Structures are given as structure tokens and as C-alpha cells.
Amino acid sequence: MAQSLPFAVRGRRAPGAGFLLRTARRTLVESVYLLTAPVTAVAGLLLALVGVGLGTLASLVPGGSPVAAGALAPARWSADLERWRIVKVRSAAGREEVAGRRPRPKKTAAVSDPGLWLDVTHAVAVLPVVLVTTVVTGLWWFIGVAFVTFPLRSAPGTIRPGVMSVGSAQSHLYVSLGLLSPGEHVAFGIVIGLLLLCTLPLVTRACVAVQAGLGKALLWDVSALYRRIRGLEQERDTARAQTVAAVTAEATALRRLERDIHDGPQQRLVRLAMELGRAERHFDSRPEAAREALADAIIQTQEALEELRALSRGIAPPILVDRGLREAVTALAARSTVPVELDAGPLDRRLDAAVETPAYFVIAEALTNVAKHSHARRCEIGLRHGAGTLRVWVTDDGVGGAALDKGHGLRGLDDRLHAAGGRLRVTSPDGGPTTITAELACC
């Protein structure tokens, strides 16, 4: 019983002692981080300025991009060192890092990398912050240790009552601190020193929070600024890709329209002109031949009109413009040579033309492919609108093998959808079935 008591007392004190040890260790690590920061900050600023200067000069020379990328490498070194220092000081405080260093682009793309310029910005902006945090930490340490060790550094008999003197030898002012004996003077110094040392963990934590917070805001890929820059880059790339896709789809559609007009109505009109010329030649001498030529001309005219109507439906289908997507899809299903099952959900309202048109052409092209290539016995058209997305699909039981290869009609549809901010998915294993799905964002 007598032996177990010390262990019980020691067990009760262990948590408090462990807390003090952890606090002391964290304070020492944070103090080292703060007091050595001016060296790394000045070195980082010099490396960044030299790297940017050399990179700027190299970029002015034709073909100097690789040289500029190599010259900017020193600007990365200080940022990498500061990331490592922040990770170490925050791990000493028991905090988990949510992200590591930012992914590095290719060397040739380093000049245009926003992360590089954030690293340079940190090298310039951190120096004033470092000077303040270092001075505060150093003075706190110096004054606290000086007060605590005051009795050890003073010889016996030299400690005088606490009096502050302000002024010169001819005119001065004495202010008493109320310390009338050397013992009170010693006690005052020790109390002030202990108070400063006890509040030192709070000071170092605040200084580390400011300095490391600036580093995390500029050097980590989770920073709001970096996310904003990346978001703007992605928006730019998306807009550029959509523009290219729109131009490509438009050029493809124009070439296809030109080919269809040349192969269809133009040939009909040429034959119509020939029949009218034949009728004119035989109008007086051979009336029967003239009537036959006029009858053929009427047939050619009707066929040319039908082909022009079909082409106009490929440009801007009247039923789609007048009555909307659901009715236009119903008309497509009715004209299909392959039996179609329509599974169209309700539409709360009329969708925008920028959404209806590409969705319509996806279904029209898919039905054309079903009729020409799939050898299907039946197919299904689906249409759903919800959660801000329009989803259409065409499924057939044919032989499969459809793909988004260059030169195929589906590739043009993919470009058209990409230009409208949508996406096209094709699932068509050999032997079927084939499912073509398009998704478009809409309000």
C-alpha cells in the first residue's frame, strides 16, 4: 500500500507534466522557426529577384524559354524550404497538414505557372512579416531571460531599491517603483521574467500563425488565391475548347450541307433545266415529247422541294422551333424506318434553343446511324429533364461497334455538344447493344 501511493501520485501528475513538456518543446521549435526566418527570408528574396531578373532577360531572347525556365528555378527553392519549415513547425504543434506541395508543371511551362508567381510574391511579402515576428519573439525571450537571471548576474550588495531615473545630470527625475529593499527588487524581476516566459508560448503561437498563415495562403494549392487562379485557367481553357469545338462543328456542318446540296437539289435542278430545255425545243414540232419533258420537270421540281425541306430540317427543323423538343422527337420517332419506343419524361417548360437544338440533332443522327449501320430491329429514345440537366439517349439492339472516331458523324455531334457545354457518351460493344447518351446543362 505504501509503495503504490507514490505511483498513484506520480500518475496524477503525469498529465500536467506531459502538457508542460509538450508546450516547452513546441515553444522551442516555434522560436527556432521564427528566429531563423530572417535568414531564409532574405535568401529567398534574393533568389527570387535574381531568378526573375534572369528569367526576364532570357525571355527577351528568341528561343530563350528553356533558359528562362531554368533561371526561375531558384525562386522555387526558397518556397520549397519554407513549405518544409511550415510542415515541421506545425507538426511540432500536433497539427495535420491537409495538403503538401503544389503539383509542379513541366519545366517549359514554368514561366506561365501561377504557382511560380505566388512563390515569388511570398518571397517579397514575407520579409516585413518576418522582421516583426522575429523582433517580437527575440525581445520576449531576451527580456524574460534577463529578468529571471537578474539575481544571478548581480553581485551581492549591488542590488539597489528600484528607482527609475529620467533626464540628465543637471535636470533629472527619479521615479520610485516601490521596491524599497533589494529582496523586493529581486522578487519583482523574477516575477516579471516568469510572466514573460509563461506568456511566451502564446506569443510564439501567434507569430507562427501569422507567418505560417501567409505561407499557407500563397504556397499551398488549397489557398483561395491559387484555387481562384486555377479556376480562371480552367474556365479559359474550357471556353477556348468550346470555341474550337463550335468552329469545328460549324465547319463540318457547312461541308456536309454543301455536299448534300450538291448531291441532291443541285442535281435535281440541273435535270429540271435540261427537261425544260427539251420541252422548249419540241414544243412546236413534237407536242407529246414536250408534255413528257414537262411532266418529268414537274417530278424533278417536287423531288427538289422535298430534298430542300429535308435539308432545312437539318439546319433548323420547323417543328423544333415552333413546338419544342418533345414534339420534334416524337416526329423523328414517327419518321424512323426502325420501330422506335419513345420514353420521354415531362418537361416543366420550354427549354432554351441552345439546349434543344444539339439534343435534337443527337437523336436525329443516332436514328440515322441506327437505320444505316446497326441492322437493329428496334430502338428506344429516352428524354429526361431534372436537376438542371437535360439527358437524352438512343439505344438499339443492333450489331454495335459505334465510336467517336474522326470522320464519323458522332464526332461532329461530340463537337456540337462540347460547344454547348455538354458531353456525349457512346457505349457500343461488338454485338451490341449501342447506347448514345447526351447530357446538357440547362436551367
Side-chain angles (χ1 to χ4, degrees):
M1 182 70 179
Q3 294 178 352
S4 63
L5 183 58
F7 288 101
V9 174
R10 198 158 45 242
R12 287 197 299 270
R13 291 179 179 175
F19 172 75
L20 291 177
L21 289 175
R22 288 193 301 271
T23 302
R25 179 179 178 272
R26 178 179 59 80
T27 303
L28 288 175
V29 172
E30 291 177 345
S31 299
V32 171
Y33 168 77
L34 294 169
L35 295 176
T36 58
V39 178
T40 59
V42 171
L45 179 60
L46 292 177
L47 289 174
L49 293 179
V50 170
V52 171
L54 293 177
T56 303
L57 292 177
S59 62
L60 298 177
V61 179
S65 297
V67 179
L72 289 169
R76 295 283 197 178
W77 299 342
S78 62
D80 292 340
L81 177 60
E82 185 62 20
R83 290 188 191 98
W84 177 81
R85 282 162 43 83
I86 292 174
V87 170
K88 292 300 181 182
V89 74
R90 293 181 73 87
S91 62
R95 300 181 184 179
E96 295 292 334
E97 292 299 319
V98 296
R101 49 189 288 180
R102 186 181 299 130
R104 193 69 58 84
K106 296 180 180 179
K107 190 173 182 180
T108 55
V111 179
S112 61
D113 177 32
L116 169 65
W117 300 110
L118 290 177
D119 294 344
V120 174
T121 302
H122 175 267
V124 175
V126 78
L127 186 59
V129 177
V130 162
L131 294 178
V132 174
T133 56
T134 301
V135 169
V136 171
T137 305
L139 287 177
W140 217 274
W141 266 106
F142 177 78
I143 297 174
V145 173
F147 268 92
V148 169
T149 61
F150 170 71
L152 300 177
R153 294 181 292 103
S154 302
T158 61
I159 301 177
R160 295 171 298 188
V163 176
M164 296 181 61
S165 177
V166 180
S168 62
Q170 292 78 17
S171 174
H172 56 270
L173 175 66
Y174 287 99
V175 180
S176 175
L177 300 178
L179 307 176
L180 303 179
S181 66
E184 291 179 349
H185 197 172
V186 171
F188 174 78
I190 292 176
V191 170
I192 294 298
L194 290 176
L195 181 62
L196 290 173
L197 293 179
C198 288
T199 55
L200 181 61
L202 300 178
V203 174
T204 58
R205 175 168 288 191
C207 292
V208 167
V210 173
Q211 187 172 318
L214 178 63
K216 287 182 67 65
L218 295 175
L219 302 179
W220 256 254
D221 57 353
V222 297
S223 65
L225 180 59
Y226 187 78
R227 289 198 305 270
R228 178 60 177 160
I229 293 175
R230 282 299 183 195
L232 291 175
E233 283 188 333
Q234 292 176 357
E235 291 178 3
R236 179 202 64 193
D237 295 340
T238 301
R240 184 179 298 169
Q242 289 180 350
T243 301
V244 172
V247 172
T248 302
E250 187 69 21
T252 302
L254 288 176
R255 287 194 299 270
R256 183 176 180 179
L257 178 62
E258 180 184 9
R259 184 178 63 251
D260 291 342
I261 291 176
H262 178 272
D263 295 340
Q266 181 176 334
Q267 300 299 323
R268 300 290 183 186
L269 293 175
V270 169
R271 187 173 176 181
L272 172 63
M274 293 175 62
E275 294 295 339
L276 291 177
R278 185 163 65 93
E280 182 182 13
R281 288 194 304 271
H282 298 301
F283 185 78
D284 294 327
S285 59
R286 298 174 58 188
E288 293 297 329
R291 290 193 190 92
E292 181 181 352
L294 290 174
D296 290 340
I298 292 174
I299 294 174
Q300 297 300 324
T301 303
Q302 293 174 345
E303 292 178 352
L305 288 174
E306 290 296 329
E307 291 181 355
L308 288 174
R309 290 193 187 99
L311 289 175
S312 68
R313 285 196 297 268
I315 299 172
I319 190 172
L320 178 64
V321 176
D322 297 338
R323 303 177 62 182
L325 180 61
R326 186 185 177 91
E327 297 299 329
V329 171
T330 303
L332 282 176
R335 292 199 304 268
S336 175
T337 57
V338 178
V340 175
E341 178 181 347
L342 183 59
D343 180 15
L347 298 178
D348 298 335
R349 57 180 180 78
R350 179 73 183 269
L351 301 178
D352 294 337
V355 176
E356 287 186 337
T357 303
Y360 173 86
F361 282 110
V362 166
I363 297 175
E365 183 69 25
L367 289 178
T368 301
N369 290 340
V370 169
K372 290 183 177 180
H373 310 296
S374 70
H375 306 290
R377 294 185 299 273
R378 56 175 297 278
C379 66
E380 175 185 305
I381 299 176
L383 189 150
R384 291 290 185 274
H385 177 223
T389 302
L390 174 66
R391 180 170 174 265
V392 298
W393 68 91
V394 177
T395 302
D396 66 73
D397 58 356
V399 297
L404 291 173
D405 294 334
K406 186 176 181 180
H408 290 69
L410 293 178
R411 184 62 178 268
L413 288 179
D414 186 43
D415 291 337
R416 186 191 290 265
L417 282 175
H418 194 186
R423 59 176 181 171
L424 184 71
R425 296 199 307 269
V426 177
T427 304
S428 183
D430 291 336
T434 297
T435 301
I436 299 173
T437 305
E439 292 182 355
L440 288 154
C442 57
C443 300

